[in-house]
Amino acid sequence: MQQFERLKSKKEISFVFDNGTGVSSFPIKLFIFKNSAIEKSNVAFTVGKKNLIRAVDRNKTKRLMREVFRLGFSEEKVFFGHSLVYVYLGKNLATFDFIKKGFLGVFKKFIANKK
């Protein structure tokens, strides 16, 4: 099983935004950067304050994103040695299935670009 750590540092997240590549499938955008550490990967989930004004909605969306990632994509070996930042682009509170659809689209585009 792959080890994922939370990407917490503002400096590291900004580095991934600036130097990483982006793949988008509404309502999710993935910024990804190849790390030198192969055994562990870092992951962060963000929701813009301008998109969802209420903190309750932002927190719920992040919880849903973490759960979709945990259930479907945390076992994937393609993320070894990468820093991942998932950004929610929607303007409304989303459902689990809507976020899952976005994650599947981002994953397919990432695999297509990697080959």
Side-chain angles (χ1 to χ4, degrees):
M1 185 172 147
Q2 182 178 358
Q3 293 289 337
F4 280 96
E5 292 183 352
R6 292 177 76 177
L7 189 60
K8 298 178 193 175
S9 170
K10 186 175 182 181
K11 187 176 179 181
E12 291 175 1
I13 293 172
S14 296
F15 183 78
V16 173
F17 279 137
D18 295 338
N19 300 323
T21 58
V23 179
S24 181
S25 176
F26 191 78
I28 304 294
K29 182 162 187 170
L30 169 64
F31 289 95
I32 191 158
F33 184 75
K34 177 76 172 150
N35 281 348
S36 60
I38 294 178
E39 40 310 308
K40 292 193 179 183
S41 297
N42 300 325
V43 64
F45 302 94
T46 63
V47 179
K49 193 172 185 180
K50 290 182 180 179
N51 291 344
L52 293 175
I53 296 169
R54 294 177 39 191
V56 174
D57 295 339
R58 289 193 305 272
N59 292 337
K60 182 172 183 174
T61 303
K62 285 188 274 189
R63 281 195 310 271
L64 287 172
M65 289 169 63
R66 280 189 220 110
E67 189 64 13
V68 168
F69 182 77
R70 184 187 71 83
L71 290 175
F73 302 100
S74 63
E75 298 293 324
E76 298 296 332
K77 303 258 187 245
V78 295
F79 294 128
F80 272 145
H82 289 85
S83 290
L84 311 167
V85 178
Y86 288 96
V87 180
Y88 179 74
L89 302 174
K91 301 278 185 198
N92 299 323
L93 188 61
T95 62
F96 183 84
D97 294 329
F98 188 59
I99 291 176
K100 187 174 182 178
K101 182 179 164 189
F103 267 84
L104 286 172
V106 165
F107 182 70
K108 288 177 184 175
K109 287 182 181 180
F110 173 69
I111 294 298
N113 289 343
K114 194 170 180 179
K115 291 182 180 180

